[in-house]
């Protein structure tokens, strides 16, 4: 029968979030109920609260999570009750044109649970990125559950969004590899994940670019070999100087602004790759000389969720974490209770944390 649990809801644009009772239905065909153990506080959740995604209030926030499957619906074979899983917002269909071409990470028909979680008065909730994980238990499509080996839920849950986006931007989309140089503009959680990923992939020159000394220090801790303070020096010239005058093989733009994208374009080497993983706003535009686009060659790419395939990438990254080769726990700035989400939004907005992580049933 349906369960009533506590969850964090945004009722209106810009209004403080509320901890309220949420009704979670039994899983139907293709669905699963997951007991959430930990969930990171991501910028996307703040965008939902601020009305920057859509206006389908009220939202059940949270999406960067790990937990344990409690129950599954009819026809579910991917996971079973008791499995430790990381939640993802890209449940691939296996049938669309991308999936049929053997490129399921581009799936054009990803899906969520069919049923809706509700408030106790029956008001339907819109779960953030089809998940809604600032809650004790959540209902998702079974394909949104990726089974992995047991690990610290607060750390590995971050693969559900930001860390996977950054790692994948560098490694999957950018193709950074042994001996390459990479520059990363914007050293928050996503940018630092790109830096850590480049280190794992064997890049020998890893350049962090930001205007915040604190963020540059974080980047250094996570694998940057060089840092560039763009508030005091020309970032393009600095990256060129650090790469023999040529520019980086791969540049990851993790800010999502026209001026930083233009910097990324000019700080890459000939035939190099620019990867946009920072999320721009709809009105932003960038203007580049076509002769430069032609003459420089290479590739200008965007990366959505790090072009990841959860079933392939999550277990691999969890194993690297367990081996001490990929420091997922270094992204956890603090562990908080579910009542601390609003305060965590402020810390995130002010750049005081890489990630605050809500630990269910526990405290910091």
């Amino acid at each position: 029968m349906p369960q009533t649990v506590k969850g964090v809801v945004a009722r209106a644009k810009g209004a403080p979030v509320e901890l309220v009772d949420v009704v979670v239905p039994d899983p139907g065909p293709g669905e699963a109920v997951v007991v959430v153990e930990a969930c990171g506080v991501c910028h996307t959740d703040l965008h939902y609260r601020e009305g920057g995604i859509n206006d389908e209030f009220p939202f059940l926030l949270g999406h960067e999570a790990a937990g344990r499957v409690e129950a599954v619906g009819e026809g579910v074979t991917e996971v079973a009750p008791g499995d430790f899983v990381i939640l993802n917002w890209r449940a691939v269909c296996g049938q669309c044109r991308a999936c049929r071409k053997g490129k399921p990470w581009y799936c054009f028909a990803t899906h969520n649970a069919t049923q809706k979680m509700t408030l106790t008065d029956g008001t339907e909730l819109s779960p953030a990125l089809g998940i809604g994980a600032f809650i004790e238990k959540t209902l998702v499509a079974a394909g949104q559950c990726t089974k992995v080996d047991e690990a610290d839920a607060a750390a590995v849950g971050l693969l559900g969004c930001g860390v996977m986006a950054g790692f994948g931007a560098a490694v999957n989309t950018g193709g950074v590899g042994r001996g390459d140089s990479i520059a990363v503009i914007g050293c928050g959680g996503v940018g630092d994940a790109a830096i850590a990923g480049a280190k794992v992939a064997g890049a020998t020159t890893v350049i962090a670019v930001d205007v915040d000394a604190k963020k540059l220090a974080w980047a250094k801790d996570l694998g940057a070999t060089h840092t560039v303070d763009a508030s005091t020096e020309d970032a393009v010239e600095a990256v060129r100087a650090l790469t023999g005058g040529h520019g980086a093989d791969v540049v990851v733009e993790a800010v999502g602004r026209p001026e930083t994208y233009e910097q990324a374009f000019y700080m890459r080497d000939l035939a190099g790759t620019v990867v946009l993983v920072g999320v721009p706003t709809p009105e932003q535009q960038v203007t580049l000389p076509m002769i430069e686009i032609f003459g420089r060659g290479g590739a200008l790419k965007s990366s959505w969720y790090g072009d990841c395939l959860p079933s392939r990438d999550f277990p691999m990254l969890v194993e690297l974490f367990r081996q001490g080769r990929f420091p997922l726990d270094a992204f956890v700035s603090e562990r908080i209770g579910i009542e601390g989400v609003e305060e965590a939004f402020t810390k995130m907005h002010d750049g005081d944390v890489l990630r605050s992580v809500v630990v269910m049933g526990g405290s910091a």
Side-chain angles (χ1 to χ4, degrees), residues 95-279:
Q95 299 174 350
C96 72
R97 60 193 186 279
C99 290
R100 291 198 306 268
K101 289 178 180 177
K103 298 179 179 180
W105 50 91
Y106 294 139
C107 178
F108 302 125
T110 57
H111 55 281
N112 304 317
T114 301
Q115 299 181 89
K116 289 288 190 179
M117 292 176 278
T118 68
L119 298 176
T120 53
D121 64 3
T123 301
E124 292 187 348
L125 295 169
S126 300
L129 291 179
I131 293 177
F134 289 148
I135 192 171
E136 294 166 328
K137 299 179 183 181
T138 191
L139 177 76
V140 294
Q144 294 179 275
C145 302
T146 304
K147 183 180 178 180
V148 297
D149 289 338
E150 296 277 348
D152 178 9
V156 301
L158 301 184
L159 293 174
C161 190
V163 171
M164 187 68 252
F167 180 99
V171 178
N172 295 340
T173 314
V176 68
R178 290 173 296 179
D180 282 343
S181 58
I182 181 173
V184 178
I185 305 176
C187 299
V190 173
D192 280 351
I195 286 167
K199 179 183 177 182
V200 169
T204 49
T205 302
V206 182
I207 306 167
V209 182
D210 207 297
V211 296
D212 186 328
K214 178 168 53 182
K215 291 184 178 181
L216 291 173
W218 290 341
K220 193 80 171 176
D221 291 341
L222 285 161
T225 59
H226 304 81
T227 60
V228 173
D229 186 340
S231 70
T232 62
E233 56 185 320
D234 185 306
V236 174
E237 291 304 316
V239 169
R240 288 187 170 280
L242 292 168
T243 53
H246 306 300
D249 296 310
V250 179
V251 181
V252 173
E253 200 277 6
V255 180
R257 295 190 58 83
E259 57 268 33
T260 44
Y261 187 84
E262 184 174 342
Q263 288 179 320
F265 179 80
Y266 285 109
M267 67 174 58
R268 69 181 175 130
D269 197 359
L270 293 174
T273 299
V274 173
V275 178
L276 175 65
V277 68
V279 182

Side-chain angles (χ1 to χ4, degrees), residues 279-299:
V279 182
T281 55
E283 74 280 0
Q284 291 175 332
Q285 297 186 32
V286 64
T287 301
L288 294 168
M290 287 190 68
I291 190 61
E292 291 283 0
I293 297 172
F294 174 78
R296 286 177 173 271

Side-chain angles (χ1 to χ4, degrees), residues 312-330:
R312 175 196 66 194
D313 294 336
F314 288 6
M316 176 266 294
L317 288 170
V318 169
E319 183 58 28
L320 288 177
F321 170 56
R322 285 159 56 93
Q323 293 174 5
R325 297 168 59 194
F326 189 66
L328 282 167
D329 52 345

